[in-house]
Amino acid sequence: MNKLQLLARLKSNYQLGELVKVENYPEVIRLIANFTVTSLQHWEFAPNSVHYLLSLWQRLAASVPYVKATEPHMLETYTPEVTKAYITSRLESVHIILSRDGLEDPLEDTGLVQQQLDQLSTIGRCEYEKTCALLVQLFDQSAQSYQELLQSASASPMDIAVQEGRLTWLVYIIGAVIGGRVSFASTDEQDAMDGELVCRVLQLMNLTDSRLAQAGNEKLELAMLSFFEQFRKIYIGDQVQKSSKLYRRLSEVLGLNDETMVLSVFIGKISVRKLVKLSAVQFMLNNHTSEHFSFLGINNQSNLTDMRCRTTFYTALGRLLMVDLGEDEDQYEQFMLPLTAAFEAVAQMFSTNSFNEQEAKRTLVGLVRDLRGIAFAFNAKTSFMMLFEWIYPSYMPILQRAIELWYHDPACTTPVLKLMAELVHNRSQRLQFDVSSPNGILLFRETSKMITMYGNRILTLGEVPKDQVYALKLKGISICFSMLKAALSGSYVNFGVFRLYGDDALDNALQTFIKLLLSIPHSDLLDYPKLSQSYYSLLEVLTQDHMNFIASLEPHVIMYILSSISEGLTALDTMVCTGCCSCLDHIVTYLFKQLSRSTKKRTTPLNQESDRFLHIMQQHPEMIQQMLSTVLNIIIFEDCRNQWSMSRPLLGLILLNEKYFSDLRNSIVNSQPPEKQQAMHLCFENLMEGIERNLLTKNRDRFTQNLSAFRREVNDSMKNSTYGVNSNDMMS
């Protein structure tokens, strides 16, 4: 994986115009293309490599319009090969997954699919004529086969499922390449190509809608919704030219003359689902039979994977329902009645000494997926509080009990944890309680209880095989990190009251976080993108608002956290790198303030945590010094996309390590050719020009401005010279 990360960083460190001038560039780009195509074709053996490979090709493709070099970049040859390999390998995977037990379907992880499609959107627009021709050919083949199978009385369910899976991938990919359209680089011909693809998706939608009441493929419907979003982003709005050749093609084929008519089609698509779901609700209200849970997609033949796409359906349905129901609580309760009945059924199962465990799992999983979709859709305070008051406190014990019983089964725990993470997310300030209401504190207690229960139990699993560690352990931990971050940053809990009144909910949650963190190797924190993002986002909140807790930790825990920040500074994911900069800034600021207080006469001594933290940092100065060297090297020598974020901790690092910074500066200056040393020395002088020894906002802003000029001057000075500073030499 480290080699793949290095490959992905190739474009980060060098411009495409520089790469093409390298003597062996044609051979290297050919080998990289061959390796990428082979990796994509063998998707089941190297799933984690796809992200890094597509990341490289995305950055290369995005640079094509800006290349001024006369040397050929050859991307017009190789990007179509990469695009074709991705598309055909995904289509070929459908039959393999359906015919073999135990293979995980990538379509079930919508987050991973979307991440890959975001990368493919840029790659596919390079040599777009070839991409469009391939998609048209493959789509027409699958759509024709699908229609023939539906018309055949002898068609097998397997053959139908294969074509639906292929069409699902194609709809996702078409949405992605349309979403990758860049206005300044697009032509009328490319808009016409988009029109050809859109027509085909809308024609397929008419076919799938006609059989929705009898049968339907939820993954395909989810792909349709993703396609709608991409189309809306690009082709609906004031900035879109109404004479676009896309709309001309839609008018010729489907009679859709403008964006208003297309929007009506989209709304009608969602409304069809709404009517089907509400009809199912009405059926359940009138027929309390053995088929009571059919609304939730649960029957004797159903399985957990059939319910994985319900969240998106209920997101769309929930948004429509809030328009229809408004603030009418009676109508709302009527709509929630089937879900109430499902919760009551699960509670009754739990209350018996013996119950059908599989039936209980299926019921609960379908239920919490539906609720998560509804919760995601309710962004207004009124609608969300109706849902909150319905679920709390009546049904929280059921969720807690499920975690307690089935902590080892991620098929059950993941949906429950995700629902809880959604409920504590104060999106659009929807979680607002009256000043006299204790509900914010009570909600955090439930959050703490769930994190603590899951965390303590998941750690009893012991050694987990490497190929199963994410599914069985790290995914649940990642969701717990996201849940805790959402609760800590939601601004609806005064955390000071917990210690004041002897409530251990906050301490339990934070201590569980530490236990979970220490069970994860450093390499795993960066190897799994979702885990990385959830961990560093949580750490950013902790270092900002709960630094006293960080300072109170054992030395080995503090060193673990600092090491994770140091490694995250060089992560490929810009969001992770930026989060690490923020964490480091908070830590350095805290440390600087405590040191400043310790050198002055003060009426009150430092608290125990501060003294302990200062002592640890004084015993291990190399950690902070290493991060100073890392940040400075990134700013000078890499394609630093978050320079502002890097500048914020850098000033504090310099002020805390002035002698080390002086030595590092001298080393960099002396490593330059003699004729450039004076210019480099002047760059460093200008960097600290007018900077005072404090971390006040005005001083920070001045340093940030100096740093921007410093980077430009250093790059100008180092052109046509070779340089390499080994940070480890400075550490010795």
Side-chain angles (χ1 to χ4, degrees):
M1 188 63 67
N2 290 334
K3 293 180 180 178
L4 288 171
Q5 292 174 346
L6 180 62
L7 190 62
R9 291 190 69 88
L10 182 64
K11 178 57 183 65
S12 298
N13 295 332
Y14 300 96
Q15 298 298 323
L16 181 57
E18 297 173 325
L19 293 174
V20 298
K21 296 178 181 178
V22 177
E23 181 180 357
N24 296 321
Y25 172 80
E27 179 65 12
V28 170
I29 197 68
R30 182 185 67 81
L31 292 173
I32 293 175
N34 291 342
F35 176 71
T36 303
V37 170
T38 303
S39 298
L40 292 173
Q41 290 171 340
H42 296 83
W43 54 270
E44 68 271 35
F45 300 115
N48 292 329
S49 67
V50 174
H51 168 74
Y52 299 105
L53 293 172
L54 292 182
S55 177
L56 170 63
W57 286 99
Q58 178 191 25
R59 292 173 179 176
L60 290 172
S63 300
V64 169
Y66 308 101
V67 176
K68 304 300 182 184
T70 57
E71 292 82 358
H73 53 67
M74 306 178 73
L75 294 183
E76 72 280 358
T77 300
Y78 295 120
T79 50
E81 294 181 9
V82 172
T83 301
K84 181 178 180 179
Y86 181 87
I87 295 173
T88 55
S89 64
R90 302 310 108 164
L91 300 189
E92 291 166 0
S93 72
V94 174
H95 184 270
I96 297 173
I97 290 169
L98 290 175
S99 59
R100 293 187 199 170
D101 292 331
L103 281 181
E104 185 175 350
D105 187 354
L107 286 172
E108 292 173 359
D109 190 342
T110 54
L112 179 63
V113 170
Q114 196 57 56
Q115 181 186 65
Q116 293 179 3
L117 293 176
D118 288 344
Q119 296 168 322
L120 185 71
S121 65
T122 304
I123 304 169
R125 296 296 295 201
C126 187
E127 296 298 310
Y128 189 47
E129 296 83 357
K130 297 178 182 178
T131 301
C132 184
L134 175 65
L135 287 172
V136 166
Q137 176 192 353
L138 295 173
F139 194 97
D140 287 348
Q141 291 173 355
S142 292
Q144 183 177 351
S145 299
Y146 184 51
Q147 191 165 14
E148 291 173 354
L149 286 169
L150 294 180
Q151 295 170 350
S152 172
S154 59
S156 71
M158 170 63 82
D159 290 339
I160 293 176
V162 168
Q163 294 305 326
E164 287 178 339
R166 291 170 63 89
L167 288 168
T168 298
W169 274 112
L170 288 168
V171 172
Y172 266 128
I173 292 168
I174 288 173
V177 296
I178 288 175
R181 178 186 183 273
V182 179
S183 58
F184 70 84
S186 295
T187 63
D188 287 345
E189 289 72 22
Q190 291 182 346
D191 288 352
M193 295 176 204
D194 284 349
E196 292 290 342
L197 296 175
V198 172
C199 285
R200 283 164 168 79
V201 174
L202 295 181
Q203 287 170 328
L204 175 65
M205 185 189 74
N206 292 333
L207 177 61
T208 57
D209 278 353
S210 65
R211 26 185 340 259
L212 185 62
Q214 295 81 27
N217 186 298
E218 292 189 347
K219 293 173 186 175
L220 179 54
E221 300 302 320
L222 181 60
M224 293 282 189
L225 293 175
S226 175
F227 164 80
F228 290 168
E229 177 59 22
Q230 295 297 333
F231 182 92
R232 181 202 60 78
K233 181 176 68 174
I234 299 299
Y235 282 110
I236 293 179
D238 295 336
Q239 75 282 1
V240 178
Q241 293 183 4
K242 301 304 182 287
S243 60
S244 166
K245 283 197 174 183
L246 175 134
Y247 280 107
R248 294 187 199 174
R249 189 58 182 154
L250 291 182
S251 177
E252 293 168 0
V253 178
L254 301 175
L256 302 174
N257 301 323
D258 54 35
E259 63 182 36
T260 302
M261 298 181 72
V262 177
L263 273 176
S264 68
V265 173
F266 291 178
I267 294 172
K269 173 76 170 173
I270 298 176
S271 296
V272 168
R273 269 135 203 83
K274 175 187 172 185
L275 291 174
V276 171
K277 297 298 182 184
L278 292 181
S279 296
V281 173
Q282 189 61 44
F283 171 82
M284 290 181 59
L285 294 178
N286 298 330
N287 300 274
H288 295 281
T289 65
S290 59
E291 312 234 337
H292 186 75
F293 297 113
S294 61
F295 173 63
L296 301 177
I298 300 166
N299 51 54
N300 293 335
Q301 289 76 36
S302 68
N303 55 62
L304 294 178
T305 59
D306 293 331
M307 295 177 278
R308 295 197 177 188
C309 299
R310 291 194 172 274
T311 295
T312 298
F313 283 125
Y314 273 92
T315 298
L317 179 61
R319 287 171 179 159
L320 285 169
L321 280 170
M322 281 303 97
V323 174
D324 290 347
L325 301 182
E327 300 181 14
D328 191 327
E329 295 191 18
D330 291 337
Q331 289 190 52
Y332 181 79
E333 291 292 336
Q334 187 79 350
F335 169 72
M336 299 299 288
L337 185 58
L339 303 181
T340 302
F343 258 134
E344 298 293 347
V346 176
Q348 188 174 1
M349 292 178 190
F350 284 162
S351 65
T352 60
N353 293 328
S354 60
F355 62 93
N356 187 322
E357 186 172 3
Q358 290 305 314
E359 181 183 353
K361 285 182 179 181
R362 285 195 300 268
T363 303
L364 182 70
V365 169
L367 174 62
V368 296
R369 288 187 188 281
D370 292 342
L371 286 175
R372 180 181 165 221
I374 295 173
F376 182 82
F378 292 175
N379 284 330
K381 175 187 175 182
T382 302
S383 57
F384 188 79
M385 292 310 297
M386 288 167 66
L387 176 65
F388 175 80
E389 291 168 0
W390 174 82
I391 198 173
Y392 179 84
S394 302
Y395 303 121
M396 282 294 182
I398 298 175
L399 302 179
Q400 302 283 2
R401 180 63 172 156
I403 292 294
E404 182 181 13
L405 285 176
W406 299 319
Y407 65 91
H408 56 280
D409 186 353
C412 292
T413 56
T414 296
V416 174
L417 292 173
K418 284 186 174 181
L419 171 60
M420 193 68 186
E422 182 61 39
L423 290 175
V424 300
H425 196 319
N426 194 14
R427 186 186 299 107
S428 302
Q429 296 300 304
R430 62 187 185 178
L431 268 171
Q432 295 183 24
F433 304 103
D434 294 335
V435 66
S436 59
S437 172
N439 282 344
I441 293 173
L442 296 176
L443 178 58
F444 184 81
R445 280 184 183 173
E446 296 293 331
T447 306
S448 173
K449 191 186 303 182
M450 183 169 290
I451 292 173
T452 303
M453 184 179 297
Y454 176 79
N456 289 337
R457 281 164 173 72
I458 202 66
L459 291 176
T460 64
L461 286 181
E463 197 69 26
V464 179
K466 181 66 176 177
D467 61 340
Q468 300 178 39
V469 69
Y470 183 76
L472 293 179
K473 179 181 176 183
L474 297 183
K475 186 172 185 178
I477 292 176
S478 174
I479 300 170
C480 285
F481 288 175
S482 297
M483 185 194 313
L484 183 56
K485 184 261 182 181
L488 291 176
S489 60
S491 300
Y492 52 85
V493 182
N494 182 345
F495 291 102
V497 304
F498 289 99
R499 177 170 293 185
L500 182 64
Y501 292 102
D503 191 321
D504 58 2
L506 177 61
D507 287 338
N508 289 343
L510 295 179
Q511 292 299 334
T512 302
F513 156 68
I514 295 299
K515 288 191 287 186
L516 291 173
L517 177 61
L518 294 179
S519 72
I520 305 173
H522 267 147
S523 58
D524 286 350
L525 283 177
L526 291 174
D527 283 349
Y528 299 98
K530 289 185 179 179
L531 178 62
S532 298
Q533 293 174 6
S534 63
Y535 164 64
Y536 287 109
S537 295
L538 172 57
L539 188 60
E540 186 176 352
V541 173
L542 289 175
T543 54
Q544 178 177 354
D545 299 326
H546 301 271
M547 194 57 211
N548 285 336
F549 167 74
I550 298 293
S552 69
L553 296 171
E554 294 296 323
H556 72 282
V557 181
I558 292 177
M559 297 308 294
Y560 181 100
I561 291 175
L562 290 176
S563 296
S564 71
I565 294 174
S566 179
E567 294 181 14
L569 288 171
T570 59
L572 284 172
D573 191 327
T574 303
M575 187 167 68
V576 168
C577 179
T578 301
C580 287
C581 290
S582 181
C583 293
L584 182 57
D585 183 29
H586 296 147
I587 292 173
V588 167
T589 301
Y590 178 88
L591 188 59
F592 185 83
K593 287 181 179 179
Q594 303 308 319
L595 281 171
S596 298
R597 289 181 60 196
S598 68
T599 58
K600 298 177 182 178
K601 291 184 178 181
R602 56 185 190 273
T603 56
T604 57
L606 292 176
N607 59 43
Q608 184 177 357
E609 290 84 359
S610 299
D611 271 340
R612 186 179 187 178
F613 188 68
L614 285 175
H615 182 65
I616 294 171
M617 292 295 96
Q618 289 167 349
Q619 283 188 320
H620 300 278
E622 72 280 356
M623 182 62 71
I624 296 294
Q625 292 170 356
Q626 180 185 357
M627 286 192 273
L628 168 56
S629 177
T630 298
V631 172
L632 194 59
N633 273 277
I634 290 173
I635 290 173
I636 295 177
F637 304 111
E638 295 193 18
D639 182 18
C640 185
R641 298 186 177 186
N642 53 345
Q643 182 176 308
W644 186 91
S645 298
M646 286 280 181
S647 73
R648 307 316 272 187
L650 181 57
L651 176 58
L653 289 169
I654 292 173
L655 296 181
L656 288 173
N657 299 273
E658 291 178 302
K659 183 180 184 306
Y660 178 80
F661 175 69
S662 177
D663 294 341
L664 182 61
R665 178 191 60 194
N666 293 336
S667 176
I668 295 174
V669 170
N670 293 334
S671 69
Q672 297 298 300
E675 68 274 10
K676 291 183 176 289
Q677 290 183 5
Q678 181 61 34
M680 183 63 73
H681 178 77
L682 184 60
C683 290
F684 278 97
E685 289 291 324
N686 293 338
L687 174 63
M688 303 306 294
E689 177 69 27
I691 302 302
E692 301 175 2
R693 203 178 187 285
N694 64 65
L695 293 179
L696 299 177
T697 301
K698 183 178 180 180
N699 200 41
R700 287 174 180 266
D701 292 343
R702 176 67 182 269
F703 180 79
T704 298
Q705 294 173 359
N706 286 2
L707 187 65
S708 296
F710 168 80
R711 188 166 185 265
R712 290 194 303 270
E713 293 167 0
V714 167
N715 287 337
D716 291 340
S717 173
M718 293 177 57
K719 283 181 179 177
N720 303 320
S721 69
T722 57
Y723 167 71
V725 172
N726 189 339
S727 301
N728 293 327
D729 293 342
M730 287 300 303
M731 299 302 297
S732 59

